[in-house]
Amino acid sequence: MLANKRVWLGVIALILVLILTGTVLGALGDRTLSQGSRGPEVTELQKKLVSLGYVVGNVDGIYGPKTKAAVTRFQKERGLKVDGIAGPQTIKELKLLTGESTNAAGKTVGPKNVDINLLARCVSAEARGEPYIGQVAVAAVILNRLKDPAFPNTIADIIYQPLAFSSVADGQINMAPTSSALKAAQEAVSGVDPTGGALYFFNPAKTKNKFIWSRPQIMQIGNHIFTR
Amino acid sequence: MRNLGIGLLGLALILSLAWGFTEYRQAAGLEVVAENQYQRSFRDFASHLDQLETDLAKGRVAATPGQKVLYLSQAGSISEAAVKDLAQLPAEENGLSYIGEFLNRAGDFTRTLAYQISMGHTPTVEDEKTLAEVHERLLTVNQTVQDLLYRVDTEGLAWVDKKPFLNRLIGFWQAGTAEAAAEGADGPASSVRSGLDQLNASLQKLPPFSYVGEYESRSVKEPLGLPKQEVDKDTALKAAKEFLSKIGYPENNLQFSGISQGPLGVYIFTQDNLFLTVSKRGGKVLIYRDQRDLNERTMDARQGKEKVAQTLKELDWNMVLTSTEDFGGYLQLEYVTEENGVRYYPDKLRITVALDKGQIIAYDATPYYAYHQKRSFVPKLTLEQAKAKLRQGFQIKENRLAVIPVIGNKEVLAYEFRGIYQDEEYLVYINAQTGVEEKIQRIIKTPRGEYLQ
């Protein structure tokens, strides 16, 4: 009787542990997540999707239709099997793209991409709807300003310089960047500059500003003219 | 009934008055916040200019290399702080750029000189002359700004000129540009803003002081790897088509879509998702991007790199892979030239390969054509002599000879040592001709690949 009781206690304890690890300690990657899943792993999944520019609605730990749509888009853009389910491959991919960096001793040192998100926000706000290469070009303009003595010396100083970007003045800069803008920012940071050194860009249909029209023009990509 | 109506209207009036008053209070509050922010930046600006001016004076007189490097590098970072303050002041898009440019160049010059002195260079008469010139110019700038600050404190000088009431009402007021504000403005400034505009315009008139610093090395004035002769559009189109057929688009229908100006001027061609530029000089493909969607991947990173190696062979490139970043569906790769065991880092080629078909979807040969040239470096130090220059406890994992770019638009031949020192991994470069430690890079491991800092 006593032995039986111990077995039962053990079973109950095991069930409790399983429940607790499932809900409280559950980490992204422990199980496959799909529409209807709930819990902290879903929250982690949603945060990772948002940081890569995929819209999930509220980060609420509930795998709803919006999260499914975000996972689907992520899979499509990253060359994965498209099924809207966050299985091992999809989660591995998310971790690859958002994971922290380490030094030689394996100590984590943060993601080490502090400026990418702000750069991508600016690209997203200024060049949403432009061809991808045009988005890389806008990011390259900001990076070219970093290297030019007539401009401030950090990404934030350049973007938030009063009157430098209309998207800062109207608050669009505060919107989450698109996945395409994030990729474009990344590509420009790697050194790609389709404009060959542009410092300004403008939409000829939307501006009459004399200063900007007086700049020596380099080329047009999409709706933007890029100038020196 | 009528009284009730009047009562309701009265209540509505009181409510709207209360609402209006709250809005007004909030707006006034925000205006104070903005004003304080400007005041803080302006006062910081003045204080940084003052420190910068002092450091330049001390840098001029310092006789020992240690003191000189100290004051000059201090001047370098304070000039950056001053530029940061300036960038927070309201201005037109080209508003105060000449002040910013002067400060950035002053900082660039002092940093470069400090770097050179730390490498064992003795300042030349020319260096000292430029330093004196920068200092004297800064004295004037500093004086002007201190004067504006004095007037803010004593006369309550306004932040911006008062807008005419009527214009303000209809919102048609437009600020004049720096140039406009400076015309016919010889008298004392009527506001901080116009004072800074005057200063900006006065700096615009001065000739740039001459030195070779970091800014010079960052824009390509003359692509060294391209022949002088320009090709016509048809030749460029032919080159583009040949390129496309080699990377997996045998049938293509490229359209000419424009040209670009400048030292790296190109012909631009497009087709559906494809974007491609061909240099006017020499007709080389500089940038290519396929903006198509990715399909489900069919290969791993190793197979992807093998595919790229094959394609590069067909494109007549003979380079070594130096960096891989794995973004899952695609890899970003960097290649450089290597001859007789010497790596030429400036001669870089960037490739992105999609792992669905192993096709190159992005290609950027701009750095290669901008910097590739015939070099004639001969190492004076042996490997063992260079190793002796490394700090004790640095564990070497790999070493080779490499040509690297350094400050001042120059290249040097160096021994590259990859190794570990106290839990961190580095690339340390020892100049193969002078033996000085030229450059240190720290290696960070991201989940996607290695990253240099």
Tab-separated table of all heavy atoms in Angstrom, chain A residues 20-50:
chain	number	residue	atom	x	y	z
A	20	LEU	N	4.942	22.040	-15.569
A	20	LEU	CA	5.695	23.265	-15.273
A	20	LEU	C	6.702	23.580	-16.377
A	20	LEU	O	6.804	24.708	-16.832
A	20	LEU	CB	6.425	23.124	-13.929
A	20	LEU	CG	5.524	23.309	-12.699
A	20	LEU	CD1	6.311	23.013	-11.442
A	20	LEU	CD2	4.973	24.733	-12.655
A	21	THR	N	7.451	22.544	-16.822
A	21	THR	CA	8.448	22.838	-17.859
A	21	THR	C	7.751	23.248	-19.145
A	21	THR	O	8.254	24.034	-19.918
A	21	THR	CB	9.349	21.627	-18.139
A	21	THR	OG1	8.540	20.478	-18.249
A	21	THR	CG2	10.400	21.443	-17.073
A	22	GLY	N	6.552	22.652	-19.366
A	22	GLY	CA	5.807	22.978	-20.588
A	22	GLY	C	5.347	24.415	-20.593
A	22	GLY	O	5.383	25.080	-21.625
A	23	THR	N	4.926	24.927	-19.445
A	23	THR	CA	4.332	26.256	-19.465
A	23	THR	C	5.295	27.318	-18.965
A	23	THR	O	5.413	28.367	-19.570
A	23	THR	CB	3.063	26.302	-18.591
A	23	THR	OG1	3.406	25.829	-17.293
A	23	THR	CG2	1.980	25.432	-19.167
A	24	VAL	N	6.000	27.019	-17.887
A	24	VAL	CA	6.837	28.059	-17.297
A	24	VAL	C	8.235	28.074	-17.899
A	24	VAL	O	8.738	29.104	-18.308
A	24	VAL	CB	6.928	27.890	-15.768
A	24	VAL	CG1	7.789	28.984	-15.170
A	24	VAL	CG2	5.544	27.910	-15.152
A	25	LEU	N	8.835	26.891	-17.996
A	25	LEU	CA	10.225	26.854	-18.440
A	25	LEU	C	10.342	26.519	-19.924
A	25	LEU	O	11.421	26.380	-20.451
A	25	LEU	CB	11.004	25.820	-17.615
A	25	LEU	CG	10.981	26.073	-16.111
A	25	LEU	CD1	11.538	24.878	-15.369
A	25	LEU	CD2	11.775	27.313	-15.775
A	26	GLY	N	9.201	26.349	-20.585
A	26	GLY	CA	9.221	25.973	-21.991
A	26	GLY	C	10.065	26.928	-22.802
A	26	GLY	O	9.861	28.132	-22.764
A	27	ALA	N	11.049	26.374	-23.532
A	27	ALA	CA	11.904	27.232	-24.341
A	27	ALA	C	11.611	26.975	-25.803
A	27	ALA	O	11.199	25.877	-26.183
A	27	ALA	CB	13.365	26.942	-24.033
A	28	LEU	N	11.808	28.013	-26.619
A	28	LEU	CA	11.563	27.908	-28.048
A	28	LEU	C	12.440	26.786	-28.607
A	28	LEU	O	13.648	26.756	-28.391
A	28	LEU	CB	11.910	29.235	-28.715
A	28	LEU	CG	11.539	29.372	-30.182
A	28	LEU	CD1	10.056	29.171	-30.402
A	28	LEU	CD2	11.979	30.714	-30.710
A	29	GLY	N	11.805	25.844	-29.296
A	29	GLY	CA	12.565	24.751	-29.878
A	29	GLY	C	12.258	23.424	-29.204
A	29	GLY	O	12.600	22.362	-29.704
A	30	ASP	N	11.592	23.472	-28.009
A	30	ASP	CA	11.257	22.234	-27.316
A	30	ASP	C	10.182	21.460	-28.062
A	30	ASP	O	10.138	20.249	-28.029
A	30	ASP	CB	10.755	22.534	-25.893
A	30	ASP	CG	11.899	22.978	-24.989
A	30	ASP	OD1	13.048	22.914	-25.456
A	30	ASP	OD2	11.642	23.400	-23.849
A	31	ARG	N	9.290	22.196	-28.682
A	31	ARG	CA	8.200	21.508	-29.391
A	31	ARG	C	7.812	22.310	-30.628
A	31	ARG	O	8.167	23.480	-30.770
A	31	ARG	CB	6.999	21.333	-28.469
A	31	ARG	CG	6.457	22.661	-27.944
A	31	ARG	CD	5.268	22.460	-27.015
A	31	ARG	NE	4.892	23.725	-26.383
A	31	ARG	CZ	3.675	24.264	-26.469
A	31	ARG	NH1	2.716	23.663	-27.141
A	31	ARG	NH2	3.398	25.413	-25.867
A	32	THR	N	7.094	21.632	-31.507
A	32	THR	CA	6.600	22.294	-32.712
A	32	THR	C	5.425	23.192	-32.337
A	32	THR	O	4.551	22.788	-31.571
A	32	THR	CB	6.154	21.239	-33.735
A	32	THR	OG1	7.312	20.563	-34.204
A	32	THR	CG2	5.442	21.881	-34.909
A	33	LEU	N	5.416	24.419	-32.840
A	33	LEU	CA	4.336	25.351	-32.537
A	33	LEU	C	3.497	25.546	-33.791
A	33	LEU	O	4.030	25.638	-34.900
A	33	LEU	CB	4.907	26.698	-32.091
A	33	LEU	CG	5.831	26.668	-30.867
A	33	LEU	CD1	6.494	28.026	-30.677
A	33	LEU	CD2	5.065	26.275	-29.620
A	34	SER	N	2.196	25.588	-33.602
A	34	SER	CA	1.322	25.841	-34.752
A	34	SER	C	0.103	26.601	-34.276
A	34	SER	O	-0.031	26.882	-33.078
A	34	SER	CB	0.917	24.521	-35.399
A	34	SER	OG	0.272	23.719	-34.440
A	35	GLN	N	-0.772	26.945	-35.213
A	35	GLN	CA	-1.931	27.759	-34.853
A	35	GLN	C	-2.680	27.111	-33.695
A	35	GLN	O	-2.976	25.918	-33.726
A	35	GLN	CB	-2.857	27.926	-36.059
A	35	GLN	CG	-3.924	28.959	-35.786
A	35	GLN	CD	-4.520	29.530	-37.063
A	35	GLN	OE1	-4.121	29.166	-38.160
A	35	GLN	NE2	-5.475	30.426	-36.919
A	36	GLY	N	-2.943	27.911	-32.670
A	36	GLY	CA	-3.607	27.393	-31.482
A	36	GLY	C	-2.656	27.222	-30.311
A	36	GLY	O	-3.080	27.191	-29.159
A	37	SER	N	-1.330	27.132	-30.585
A	37	SER	CA	-0.360	26.994	-29.497
A	37	SER	C	-0.356	28.250	-28.636
A	37	SER	O	-0.593	29.350	-29.127
A	37	SER	CB	1.054	26.797	-30.049
A	37	SER	OG	1.152	25.637	-30.818
A	38	ARG	N	-0.076	28.048	-27.355
A	38	ARG	CA	0.032	29.179	-26.431
A	38	ARG	C	1.238	28.986	-25.538
A	38	ARG	O	1.688	27.855	-25.375
A	38	ARG	CB	-1.200	29.247	-25.520
A	38	ARG	CG	-2.408	29.830	-26.162
A	38	ARG	CD	-3.637	29.524	-25.321
A	38	ARG	NE	-4.827	30.025	-25.991
A	38	ARG	CZ	-5.441	31.164	-25.664
A	38	ARG	NH1	-5.015	31.879	-24.659
A	38	ARG	NH2	-6.505	31.570	-26.331
A	39	GLY	N	1.704	30.055	-24.936
A	39	GLY	CA	2.764	29.920	-23.943
A	39	GLY	C	3.955	30.809	-24.229
A	39	GLY	O	3.990	31.521	-25.233
A	40	PRO	N	4.932	30.789	-23.298
A	40	PRO	CA	6.089	31.674	-23.427
A	40	PRO	C	6.930	31.401	-24.676
A	40	PRO	O	7.557	32.313	-25.209
A	40	PRO	CB	6.899	31.409	-22.155
A	40	PRO	CG	6.380	30.142	-21.602
A	40	PRO	CD	4.977	29.995	-22.055
A	41	GLU	N	6.901	30.131	-25.169
A	41	GLU	CA	7.688	29.873	-26.395
A	41	GLU	C	7.093	30.650	-27.555
A	41	GLU	O	7.802	31.102	-28.443
A	41	GLU	CB	7.681	28.398	-26.791
A	41	GLU	CG	7.961	27.432	-25.701
A	41	GLU	CD	6.671	26.775	-25.247
A	41	GLU	OE1	5.844	27.485	-24.656
A	41	GLU	OE2	6.511	25.568	-25.462
A	42	VAL	N	5.741	30.753	-27.547
A	42	VAL	CA	5.086	31.481	-28.636
A	42	VAL	C	5.482	32.955	-28.564
A	42	VAL	O	5.769	33.586	-29.584
A	42	VAL	CB	3.550	31.305	-28.586
A	42	VAL	CG1	2.890	32.097	-29.703
A	42	VAL	CG2	3.183	29.835	-28.692
A	43	THR	N	5.542	33.493	-27.337
A	43	THR	CA	5.971	34.885	-27.172
A	43	THR	C	7.378	35.069	-27.746
A	43	THR	O	7.644	36.034	-28.475
A	43	THR	CB	5.977	35.263	-25.678
A	43	THR	OG1	4.729	34.890	-25.114
A	43	THR	CG2	6.205	36.744	-25.489
A	44	GLU	N	8.265	34.107	-27.418
A	44	GLU	CA	9.640	34.203	-27.900
A	44	GLU	C	9.667	34.150	-29.432
A	44	GLU	O	10.375	34.919	-30.082
A	44	GLU	CB	10.457	33.046	-27.301
A	44	GLU	CG	11.941	33.331	-27.240
A	44	GLU	CD	12.720	32.130	-26.699
A	44	GLU	OE1	12.172	31.349	-25.899
A	44	GLU	OE2	13.888	31.992	-27.110
A	45	LEU	N	8.862	33.252	-29.974
A	45	LEU	CA	8.750	33.132	-31.436
A	45	LEU	C	8.290	34.452	-32.046
A	45	LEU	O	8.866	34.957	-33.020
A	45	LEU	CB	7.750	32.020	-31.766
A	45	LEU	CG	7.358	31.857	-33.238
A	45	LEU	CD1	8.424	31.045	-33.963
A	45	LEU	CD2	6.010	31.163	-33.392
A	46	GLN	N	7.247	35.038	-31.423
A	46	GLN	CA	6.695	36.287	-31.956
A	46	GLN	C	7.727	37.414	-31.910
A	46	GLN	O	7.871	38.175	-32.862
A	46	GLN	CB	5.439	36.683	-31.160
A	46	GLN	CG	4.260	35.762	-31.438
A	46	GLN	CD	3.073	36.032	-30.533
A	46	GLN	OE1	3.250	36.393	-29.356
A	46	GLN	NE2	1.869	35.863	-31.050
A	47	LYS	N	8.475	37.485	-30.807
A	47	LYS	CA	9.489	38.542	-30.693
A	47	LYS	C	10.544	38.394	-31.776
A	47	LYS	O	10.977	39.374	-32.390
A	47	LYS	CB	10.160	38.481	-29.323
A	47	LYS	CG	9.350	39.131	-28.231
A	47	LYS	CD	10.182	39.220	-26.969
A	47	LYS	CE	9.355	39.655	-25.782
A	47	LYS	NZ	10.036	39.390	-24.518
A	48	LYS	N	10.964	37.158	-32.008
A	48	LYS	CA	11.979	36.934	-33.030
A	48	LYS	C	11.449	37.332	-34.409
A	48	LYS	O	12.159	37.943	-35.211
A	48	LYS	CB	12.431	35.471	-33.029
A	48	LYS	CG	13.313	35.136	-31.820
A	48	LYS	CD	14.002	33.806	-31.995
A	48	LYS	CE	14.770	33.371	-30.758
A	48	LYS	NZ	15.835	34.286	-30.357
A	49	LEU	N	10.181	36.996	-34.680
A	49	LEU	CA	9.586	37.362	-35.971
A	49	LEU	C	9.542	38.877	-36.137
A	49	LEU	O	9.892	39.416	-37.182
A	49	LEU	CB	8.174	36.776	-36.089
A	49	LEU	CG	8.102	35.263	-36.359
A	49	LEU	CD1	6.693	34.745	-36.131
A	49	LEU	CD2	8.551	34.946	-37.787
A	50	VAL	N	9.110	39.565	-35.058
A	50	VAL	CA	9.017	41.027	-35.120
A	50	VAL	C	10.396	41.638	-35.369
A	50	VAL	O	10.562	42.537	-36.192
A	50	VAL	CB	8.397	41.603	-33.828
A	50	VAL	CG1	8.502	43.120	-33.815
A	50	VAL	CG2	6.938	41.186	-33.713
